[in-house]
Amino acid sequence: IIIETTGLADPAPVAQTFFVDADVKDFARLDGIITLVDAKHIEKHLDEEKPEGAENEAVEQVAFADRLLVNKIDLVTEEDLKRVEARLKTINAFAPIVRSEQSKVSVDSVLNIKGFDLKRTLEMDPEFLDTNAEHVHDESISSLSICADGDVHMMLVNEFISDVLRNLGNDIFRMKGVLAIAGSPEKFVYQGVHMIFDGEFQGEWESGETRSSKLIFIGKNLDKATLEKKFRECLYIPENEPRIAAMLKVQLHDRIGKQLLSAAHRD
């Protein structure tokens, strides 16, 4: 297990390696990513210019976070704190901010936050997802959300996600959401970090609950209009039925071809 301390109060992240024999899943789960922010020096780190092609680690650590601990608040003014917190929200609008002195916080603030428990995504309300009002300080880093009522088709969603990971994987720090898949009584919830993606069906839709999809993206150079347009092409609506039919036809031909090849091998 490699545990990386993402404390921006330190000059650089520190990695420690522990070796265990048991399956990690048997005794542990990834609860969330917590980033410790030095309130006095964070702006300098965020503004630090890197060589061409290199990433700003401070910006990435803020973007990855499920929770932000703004430390050393005793060394800055309230005005400074408000400015710093506003800056952090332009990078990651979805991570709650907790203030601290000498890194002292309640255990409840850093444990059992369920940042990677995808069920938490289902509790997001429209106000939580609405980032249109956020002022963006760094135009290259942003948080955005997409909401769409109605069902989506799984094959179209697979194509959409594959396209996003293939073409935007390096630019998307985090993505997560809940999807209403046509034909499924359960919600499909997912989480992604760069080019790593994981999702599963969790919890049925309540009786009378509006079936809708909610997606969150945090990354750099994100084009909301393009992402939203491509996602709406996944909706299970008459306009998209020709694409669905074409994909089903290709899938059927592939299946028949594999069956014939298997039969030929047996013969």
Side-chain angles (χ1 to χ4, degrees), residues 8 13 48 50 54-62:
L8 300 180
E48 186 177 353
K50 297 289 183 176
E55 301 293 343
N56 185 315
E57 295 86 355
V59 173
E60 284 198 343
Q61 289 180 22
V62 171

Side-chain angles (χ1 to χ4, degrees), residues 61-126:
Q61 289 180 22
V62 171
F64 276 122
D66 291 299
R67 187 148 303 174
L68 294 165
L69 299 187
V70 178
N71 194 41
K72 298 184 181 179
I73 61 173
D74 52 318
L75 301 183
V76 295
T77 65
E78 179 65 23
E79 182 180 355
D80 291 334
L81 275 175
K82 289 181 178 179
R83 185 182 66 254
V84 166
E85 291 173 351
R87 176 77 180 277
L88 296 175
K89 284 185 175 295
T90 65
I91 300 173
N92 187 339
F94 307 107
I97 294 175
V98 179
R99 296 181 177 184
S100 67
E101 294 182 27
Q102 298 181 344
S103 304
K104 295 178 181 179
V105 294
S106 67
V107 174
D108 292 340
S109 298
V110 293
L111 292 181
N112 202 32
I113 64 175
K114 298 182 179 179
F116 276 76
D117 181 350
L118 300 183
K119 290 182 181 179
R120 192 184 71 163
T121 307
L122 309 181
E123 300 170 0
M124 298 174 183
D125 55 36

